[in-house]
Structures are given as structure tokens and as C-alpha cells.
Amino acid sequence: KCIIDAKNIVKIYQNGAEELKVLDDISIQVFQSDFTAILGPSGSGKSTLMNILGCLDLPTAGQYYLDGMDVLKARDNELAEIRNQKIGFVFQKFNLMPRLSAIQNVMLPLLYRGVNEKEAGETAKEKLSRLGLGDRLQHRPNELSGGQQQRVAIARAIAGNPPLILADEPTGNLDSKSSKDAMEIFRELNSEGNTIVIITHDVEVAEEVKKIFYIRDGKIYSDGG
Ligand code: ADP
Ligand code: ADP
């Protein structure tokens, strides 16, 4: 089953009179249970591609089907809905809500989806416990280490069992031990069938996954291709 099916994606930014083609005819497919990295240097177009794959921005041209949904046919309010239903995001800076506890952070996307408070609480507790944070449920982000915060963010991303986990430089703010732990968590989640795409400039991170797409100057190359 194809989770990401993006074809001939072009993104052009207008810089005054100048056009900057940041993504140049990118096609990429990610299948269910894939463990994939998109690897590229700074300025290669990773953030731009991440925003498009994450339904945060629209391409200038191309086609994008996410878990069978035609993303480019969606209206703005439907894009938010698609994001919420289809994608669990993990960010470099964790993006946790600072005033909410760990368990409340993980409950949030479930409550958005209409899951009731009790069930959301139980699911959040279960996800946090399996990521080794069973004794940190009531802690706020600033009471947790970076590695712990990223595990809260991963628990939040998987809470609703989305078809896609999309991680943008997930180890970018972590020390090497916490990075290894986070990659180990991704590996385990993938072995349970989760589809994971990691966007990174870090070769060591990319070496942990099963398939690498290389992005350079807005063009994409797959393993050996
Ligand atoms: P990366 O994440 O790999 O560093 P980006 O996607 O952020 O790459 O940027 C790719 C190129 O597009 C860079 O040259 C950047 O300056 C340019 N760029 C990114 N966003 C915009 C924007 N909103 N307007 C104009 N240029 C942009
Ligand atoms: P990252 O560290 O994730 O690659 P960047 O520093 O490339 O992020 O970009 C941060 C934000 O600024 C992004 O939202 C990107 O779209 C925007 N941006 C990057 N380059 C430009 C640019 N030349 N003009 C306008 N916006 C830009």
C-alpha cells in the first residue's frame, strides 16, 4: 500500500522579480511499513519538501496522494483535517505545549480527533509508559531532559496510530546518546508496522533506516539511482 505518492513536485518561490525553483520535479513513493530517510545538505530543499509532504504547504505543480487522499484537491480547512488524521509529526525542537504536562501533550491530538477524555488519557499513559516515561506523566516539558521531551513528542505522534510518522531532524537537538535512543525507538515502531519518514542532514541518522532518498539542489535520487 502506497502511503506517500508524490509525482513531479515543483516548488517555485518568487523572490521579487526572480524565480527560485527549490523543488525541481521530485517524485517519491513511500509504502506502508517503510523506514525511510530523506537526506540532504542545508539549502537542498528539505524543509520545503517536508512542508509539502506534511500538508503544511502546497507545491507549485505536481500531484500528491497521501494514504489515498488527493492532497492538492483539498481546501485549506481540509488540509488541517488530513494532517490531523494521517500524520504524526516529530520536530527538531519537539514543539510541546510548555504549560501542559507530558500526558496532556500526548492527549491533545486525540482530543482533537474527538476521542473522549478518559480514553485519551488511557492511550496517552500507555504510549508514554512504553517509551519509558511512565513515571513522568505529570511533568511539564521544562522538567524533562531533551531526550525525554523528544520521547513525549514521539508518544504524541503515535498516539492516534496515524498511517505516517513524519520526523523533521528529530535528533537535531539531542546529544548522541539520546539520538541513538530516539532512533532505536523509531526502529522498534517501524518493526511493529509503522511507516516512518525522517528528514535529516545527518548521515549517521540516515544510516539507521532501510531506504534513503538523497535530495540535492531540489532534485531527488533514491538508493543507487
Ligand atoms: P533545507 O531545509 O534543505 O535547508 P529549504 O527548503 O529550507 O532547504 O530551502 C531551500 C532553498 O529555498 C534555500 O535556498 C532557501 O533559501 C529557499 N527558500 C526556502 N523557503 C523560502 C521562501 N519562503 N521564500 C524564498 N526562498 C525560500
Ligand atoms: P531549516 O533549518 O529547517 O532548514 P531554514 O532556515 O531553511 O530552516 O528556513 C526556516 C524558515 O524560513 C522556513 O519556513 C523557510 O521556508 C523560510 N525561509 C528559508 N529561506 C528563505 C528565504 N530565502 N526567503 C524567505 N523565507 C525563507
Side-chain angles (χ1 to χ4, degrees):
K1 186 177 173 196
C2 201
I3 302 293
I4 288 178
D5 189 5
K7 279 203 196 83
N8 309 114
I9 298 286
V10 174
K11 182 71 178 184
I12 296 173
Y13 289 117
Q14 201 74 39
N15 244 343
E18 197 191 354
E19 284 194 341
L20 189 60
K21 191 184 273 186
V22 174
L23 299 180
D24 186 4
D25 201 22
I26 281 187
S27 297
I28 178 170
Q29 285 188 319
V30 173
F31 295 90
Q32 189 159 30
S33 304
D34 276 356
F35 189 20
T36 299
I38 298 174
L39 175 66
S42 178
S44 57
K46 291 188 304 296
S47 302
T48 303
L49 182 59
M50 154 85 194
N51 288 342
I52 290 170
L53 296 180
C55 305
L56 297 155
D57 193 10
L58 296 172
T60 311
Q63 291 181 311
Y64 180 24
Y65 291 87
L66 174 59
D67 194 29
M69 293 207 55
D70 188 345
V71 174
L72 305 191
K73 286 236 172 74
R75 299 157 196 272
D76 277 356
N77 61 329
E78 293 168 335
L79 272 188
E81 178 83 9
I82 294 176
R83 274 201 302 278
N84 196 31
Q85 298 283 336
K86 304 287 189 192
I87 307 175
F89 287 97
V90 179
F91 299 100
Q92 175 170 2
K93 292 180 180 161
F94 321 134
N95 293 22
L96 299 172
M97 303 289 275
R99 304 179 65 93
L100 298 183
S101 64
I103 191 167
Q104 286 172 324
N105 267 285
V106 178
M107 287 169 69
L108 213 53
L110 295 168
L111 298 175
Y112 263 123
R113 288 177 172 212
V115 176
N116 70 50
E117 187 99 15
K118 181 162 178 285
E119 199 182 317
E122 283 165 4
T123 302
K125 186 175 170 187
E126 177 206 319
K127 302 294 180 193
L128 284 166
S129 299
R130 73 155 288 197
L131 296 188
L133 294 169
D135 57 350
R136 293 289 185 277
L137 301 180
Q138 304 303 336
H139 287 57
R140 288 189 187 179
N142 68 3
E143 299 170 314
L144 299 170
S145 71
Q148 290 171 334
Q149 289 181 59
Q150 194 57 302
R151 279 185 278 150
V152 174
I154 295 171
R156 178 180 60 183
I158 62 174
N161 291 318
L164 174 66
I165 311 281
L166 190 56
D168 186 13
E169 301 284 4
T171 62
N173 272 340
L174 300 179
D175 59 48
S176 57
K177 166 81 168 66
S178 300
S179 295
K180 285 208 176 72
D181 291 347
M183 291 309 296
E184 182 58 36
I185 290 169
F186 284 125
R187 194 180 3 256
E188 271 176 42
L189 292 173
N190 171 253
S191 72
E192 292 163 19
N194 286 286
T195 308
I196 300 175
V197 174
I198 295 177
I199 296 175
T200 185
H201 71 278
D202 187 335
V203 177
E204 279 185 39
V205 167
E207 279 169 350
E208 305 280 332
V209 310
K210 292 193 204 144
K211 174 165 190 177
I212 304 178
F213 289 99
Y214 300 87
I215 182 168
R216 190 149 199 120
D217 298 332
K219 292 189 195 299
I220 209 152
Y221 312 86
S222 58
D223 274 340

